[in-house]
C-alpha cells in the first residue's frame, strides 16, 4: 500500500510538471489551443447543467439544444454519472475549474491504473512505474 501511495505522489508530481502553468491558473485558464473545440463544448455542457439546476429547468425538455423543438440534455450528453460529476463540480467550483480538475485527475488516474495493471501482469514494480 505504501508503494501505491508513493507512485501516486510520483504521478501527481509528473502531472503538475507536464501541465505546469495550469496548476497555478486552474480557475482562469483553459489548456489547449484555440482550434480545439471539445474543451469549450465540455465547459458549455457544465454551464448548461448548472444553469438548468439553478433555474429549475427540466433536462428532458430543454430548448437550448435544437431550438425551437428542443432536445433533452440527458439524451445529448448521455452518461448520467458524467452529468452528475459535471453538474456538482461546476456548481461547487465553476466550469473552468471543473474542466481543468477532470483533465488533471484523468492523467493521474490513468498513470496509477496503468501502473497497477502492469505490476499485476509483470510482477515488476520499476517497469510498472515507467509504463504508467
Amino acid at each position: 500500500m505504501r508503494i501505491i501511495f508513493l507512485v501516486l505522489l510520483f504521478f501527481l508530481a509528473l502531472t503538475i510538471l507536464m501541465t505546469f502553468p495550469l496548476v497555478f491558473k486552474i480557475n482562469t485558464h483553459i489548456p489547449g489551443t484555440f482550434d480545439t473545440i471539445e474543451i469549450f463544448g465540455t465547459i458549455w455542457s457544465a454551464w448548461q447543467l448548472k444553469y438548468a439546476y439553478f433555474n429549475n429547468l427540466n433536462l428532458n425538455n430543454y430548448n437550448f439544444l435544437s431550438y425551437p423543438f428542443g432536445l433533452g440534455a440527458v439524451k445529448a450528453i448521455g452518461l448520467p454519472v458524467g452529468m452528475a460529476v459535471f453538474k456538482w463540480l461546476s456548481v461547487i467550483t465553476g466550469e473552468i475549474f471543473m474542466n481543468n480538475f477532470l483533465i488533471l485527475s484523468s492523467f493521474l488516474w490513468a498513470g496509477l491504473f496503468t501502473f497497477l495493471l502492469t505490476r499485476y501482469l509483470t510482477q515488476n514494480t520499476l517497469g510498472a512505474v515507467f509504463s504508467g
Side-chain angles (χ1 to χ4, degrees):
M1 191 68 174
R2 182 172 181 238
I3 189 72
I4 294 173
F5 181 71
L6 292 174
V7 167
L8 189 64
L9 285 178
F10 172 72
F11 286 133
L12 179 64
L14 197 61
T15 299
I16 291 171
L17 179 69
M18 293 299 167
T19 61
F20 171 63
L22 183 62
V23 174
F24 298 111
K25 300 174 183 180
I26 198 164
N27 286 322
T28 57
H29 287 68
I30 301 170
T33 60
F34 289 109
D35 61 346
T36 305
I37 61 170
E38 294 119 7
I39 293 174
F40 297 112
T42 304
I43 291 172
W44 183 81
S45 296
W47 170 83
Q48 169 191 8
L49 290 171
K50 182 174 151 182
Y51 182 81
Y53 173 73
F54 282 125
N55 293 305
N56 295 324
L57 298 175
N58 185 5
L59 289 176
N60 290 322
N61 187 13
Y62 197 64
N63 287 356
F64 278 33
L65 299 173
S66 301
Y67 186 80
F69 305 109
L71 175 67
V74 175
K75 294 175 186 171
I77 296 175
L79 301 172
V81 174
M83 285 178 57
V85 170
F86 275 26
K87 180 174 86 172
W88 291 112
L89 272 177
S90 65
V91 164
I92 293 169
T93 61
E95 294 84 10
I96 294 177
F97 180 87
M98 180 268 322
N99 182 56
N100 293 336
F101 176 76
L102 291 177
I103 289 172
L104 292 174
S105 65
S106 68
F107 291 149
L108 182 65
W109 294 120
L112 178 67
F113 287 116
T114 303
F115 162 78
L116 291 173
L117 178 65
T118 306
R119 190 176 75 164
Y120 173 76
L121 293 175
T122 64
Q123 302 298 320
N124 185 355
T125 303
L126 186 61
V129 169
F130 284 112
S131 71

